[in-house]
Amino acid sequence: MRNGFRVFTILMCFIFCMTAGAQIDKPKEEKTVYVAKKDKKWYTVTAQFSIHKQYPELQKAFGNILFGIEDASLQNAFHSYLNTYEKCTIPQEKEATMGCRETFTVKYLSGEADKYLCYRVSHVKTSKEDKRIVTQKNDIFNIIFDVKQKKILTLEDVLLPDKVAEVKGLIGGAFPQMHMDNEKISIGCMKNGKMMAVEMFYELYINAFTEEFKQKLDWETIVQRAEKKVYDYVDENPTFPGGDNEMIKWIKANINYPEEAKTSELYEILLCSSIVGKDGSLSDIKVNSSKTGESTLANELSHLLEQMPKWNPGVLYGCPVRALRTFAITFAEGDIILGDKSKVLDIVEQMPQFRGGDAALMEYLNKAIKYPPVAEANGIQGRVVTTFVVERDGSITDVKVLRSVDPSLDREAFRVVRSMPRWIPGKQKGSPVRVKFTLPVTFRLQ
């Protein structure tokens, strides 16, 4: 896995920079290069260190992680490691190393003054065997350094005992990698050759963290945010008690359906949205009709939704959350049906388009997407293929992941697609129609 500047692409390559709270000064990178001989092979041995030198405990921790040498500065530990080679010299004095490389990297990621520092530590070693480059070692660690305690944080420093046991049950006994910002902490490791990752958003796991860890964050703001935040992507969608069929039965039993509408050729689709609270109550109810002008049915349904019984709340990472729920209801020839039952087309005369065209779509994706830290840190990349329906009003519904890569990347692709603003709808014979659209989202590390 390459170290250095990373780029991810969504349809095309975009530059992405991670941000986290109030940044402290970024230390200057110091790079040293040697050539060294071991087992009849010459290696280019490179050290790329970007570290805050004012913390000797941090340097010693890195020396131990990378080189297994305790109680030594990072540079001293590196030079001690060089002594394990048979010969060592500067590059200008030796022949080309023929593809053999060993690179040690310490890269500062983010942090807040007097609170915490996040670093990535990696050791990559490759050699050339039978004209092929073979990776001998590819170790990557994300760590959090507690500035006040002058130590690298462990799971026990971050989480309460019950949550520590839960996370260890997922990642096993491997060295836990951790990265944090002002929204969440990511914990992961390699287990059985696969990446195991846990992302814990603070507002979802308010009761999971130690008091000492909370002091590194603006916890009062996090608690306030927890009461306001609405999620448009959840693991379990909010549902009416008993499911969708029961919801339609309840609506039929309680709605004031005009008599003239029951016997006419009425065909009206109402697009509904509401926020389902943690307690299942509905708020911010909106009902829009497919008809132009005022709709009696839309007004009636809007008032009726306000009287609905409480729903089962949405669930994310095992926690109930405030979630956005959207659905359509069709009124046709006296019947009430859940969903827009008009046909979804694959190809139409005028295909739906993001407002502003492909360039505007790329700009939106560039600004909206956030590469999951655990996936970025552990080299997880790939192409998530999503599908969705562009409705007659341009809204995006029925978002699905058609081809999965990794849960963290799938979740981010779903979130960004689901959050897109309304498109210019597709048209057939001059009239807006429902159109299925496929959008690949490519996550690539370079």
Side-chain angles (χ1 to χ4, degrees):
M1 175 177 166
R2 297 180 183 176
N3 295 285
F5 190 74
R6 291 197 160 111
V7 177
F8 68 87
T9 58
I10 304 125
L11 304 180
M12 293 179 64
C13 292
F14 295 104
I15 298 174
F16 173 80
C17 299
M18 283 182 62
T19 59
Q23 294 282 320
I24 65 174
D25 292 337
K26 183 177 180 180
K28 182 180 178 181
E29 181 182 284
E30 296 181 357
K31 183 176 180 179
T32 54
V33 182
Y34 295 88
V35 291
K37 184 180 180 182
K38 180 181 288 187
D39 300 328
K40 299 181 180 180
K41 296 178 182 178
W42 284 94
Y43 288 81
T44 297
V45 185
T46 304
Q48 300 178 140
F49 299 150
S50 170
I51 183 173
H52 294 87
K53 293 184 177 180
Q54 63 267 43
Y55 306 112
E57 295 83 3
L58 182 59
Q59 291 214 37
K60 292 177 182 179
F62 288 144
N64 191 15
I65 292 173
L66 281 175
F67 307 108
I69 299 174
E70 297 183 0
D71 211 26
S73 70
L74 184 56
Q75 284 289 353
N76 288 342
F78 172 59
H79 285 96
S80 296
Y81 178 79
L82 289 175
N83 292 332
T84 64
Y85 278 88
E86 299 166 22
K87 295 181 181 179
C88 185
T89 184
I90 59 176
Q92 293 86 341
E93 296 183 3
K94 277 293 173 185
E95 64 271 25
T97 59
M98 301 299 291
C100 299
R101 300 282 189 271
E102 187 164 20
T103 303
F104 299 92
T105 304
V106 175
K107 182 181 179 182
Y108 168 67
L109 299 177
S110 60
E112 291 198 28
D114 301 324
K115 292 184 179 180
Y116 66 90
L117 304 172
C118 294
Y119 279 90
R120 178 167 305 137
V121 187
S122 66
H123 176 202
V124 180
K125 185 176 182 179
T126 61
S127 65
K128 194 168 185 179
E129 298 178 8
D130 297 327
K131 298 182 179 180
R132 294 184 304 110
I133 301 299
V134 177
T135 299
Q136 297 175 306
K137 188 176 285 288
N138 187 12
D139 293 334
I140 302 172
F141 304 100
N142 274 14
I143 65 98
I144 304 170
F145 180 73
D146 186 312
V147 175
K148 288 187 177 180
Q149 296 187 65
K150 299 180 180 180
K151 60 175 286 189
I152 291 178
L153 294 180
T154 65
L155 286 179
E156 288 75 11
D157 295 318
V158 174
L159 303 173
L160 294 175
D162 288 349
K163 186 58 66 172
V164 170
E166 179 183 329
V167 172
K168 284 187 175 180
L170 293 173
I171 68 174
F175 180 83
Q177 304 185 39
M178 293 192 286
H179 179 274
M180 65 180 284
D181 54 29
N182 287 331
E183 292 186 357
K184 64 183 178 299
I185 184 167
S186 302
I187 303 170
C189 75
M190 294 299 296
K191 183 179 180 182
N192 299 326
K194 295 182 179 180
M195 183 63 202
M196 301 294 297
V198 182
E199 289 186 319
M200 283 182 281
F201 289 79
Y202 302 130
E203 62 265 26
L204 296 181
Y205 291 92
I206 285 180
N207 298 319
F209 300 100
T210 65
E211 291 301 320
E212 293 77 10
F213 181 76
K214 291 179 183 179
Q215 293 175 12
K216 303 174 192 358
L217 302 158
D218 184 354
W219 202 255
E220 182 177 346
T221 299
I222 288 171
V223 173
Q224 293 174 355
R225 186 174 65 196
E227 299 304 315
K228 299 178 181 178
K229 189 163 184 177
V230 178
Y231 293 88
D232 55 12
Y233 177 89
V234 291
D235 296 327
E236 298 178 24
N237 286 319
T239 57
F240 186 88
D244 290 342
N245 290 335
E246 291 299 318
M247 179 175 71
I248 289 298
K249 288 181 182 179
W250 186 90
I251 292 175
K252 288 181 177 181
N254 291 279
I255 196 168
N256 181 20
Y257 202 158
E259 288 298 324
E260 62 272 17
K262 294 181 180 179
T263 57
S264 70
E265 296 296 320
L266 172 72
Y267 189 94
E268 185 173 352
I269 300 167
L270 300 181
L271 298 177
C272 312
S273 70
S274 67
I275 296 172
V276 182
K278 294 180 182 179
D279 62 351
S281 59
L282 303 187
S283 63
D284 197 27
I285 297 169
K286 297 177 183 177
V287 179
N288 296 312
S289 172
S290 59
K291 293 174 52 179
T292 57
E294 186 174 358
S295 167
T296 302
L297 279 174
N299 292 332
E300 174 63 23
L301 183 59
S302 180
H303 292 310
L304 186 62
L305 294 182
E306 294 175 355
Q307 304 168 33
M308 266 193 171
K310 289 186 177 182
W311 287 37
N312 301 313
V315 177
L316 182 61
Y317 299 103
C319 299
V321 295
R322 300 180 74 220
L324 179 66
R325 173 68 196 269
T326 60
F327 55 93
I329 293 181
T330 300
F331 291 80
E333 300 178 350
D335 197 9
I336 302 175
I337 306 168
L338 180 65
D340 184 343
K341 296 304 179 181
S342 58
K343 187 176 180 180
V344 177
L345 304 177
D346 293 315
I347 302 294
V348 293
E349 294 170 353
Q350 183 178 330
M351 290 296 288
Q353 186 180 46
F354 190 88
R355 296 184 184 275
D358 291 343
L361 173 60
M362 293 181 220
E363 182 180 357
Y364 162 78
L365 294 171
N366 180 34
K367 292 179 179 178
I369 203 164
K370 297 180 180 180
Y371 208 115
V374 172
E376 197 268 351
N378 292 279
I380 301 174
Q381 57 184 349
R383 193 184 198 198
V384 180
V385 179
T386 67
T387 66
F388 52 90
V389 175
V390 181
E391 300 289 348
R392 283 190 288 263
D393 65 348
S395 60
I396 304 301
T397 64
D398 199 26
V399 181
K400 297 178 181 176
V401 173
L402 187 65
R403 188 170 69 188
S404 170
V405 173
D406 172 82
S408 63
L409 299 187
D410 298 346
R411 185 178 292 113
E412 181 61 13
F414 184 102
R415 182 192 69 80
V416 171
V417 170
R418 178 66 184 82
S419 302
M420 286 190 296
R422 293 191 179 192
W423 285 39
I424 299 171
K427 291 185 178 181
Q428 187 77 355
K429 297 180 180 180
S431 299
V433 289
R434 307 176 73 211
V435 182
K436 186 177 181 180
F437 203 92
T438 301
L439 180 65
V441 180
T442 303
F443 296 83
R444 182 174 301 150
L445 299 172
Q446 294 183 347

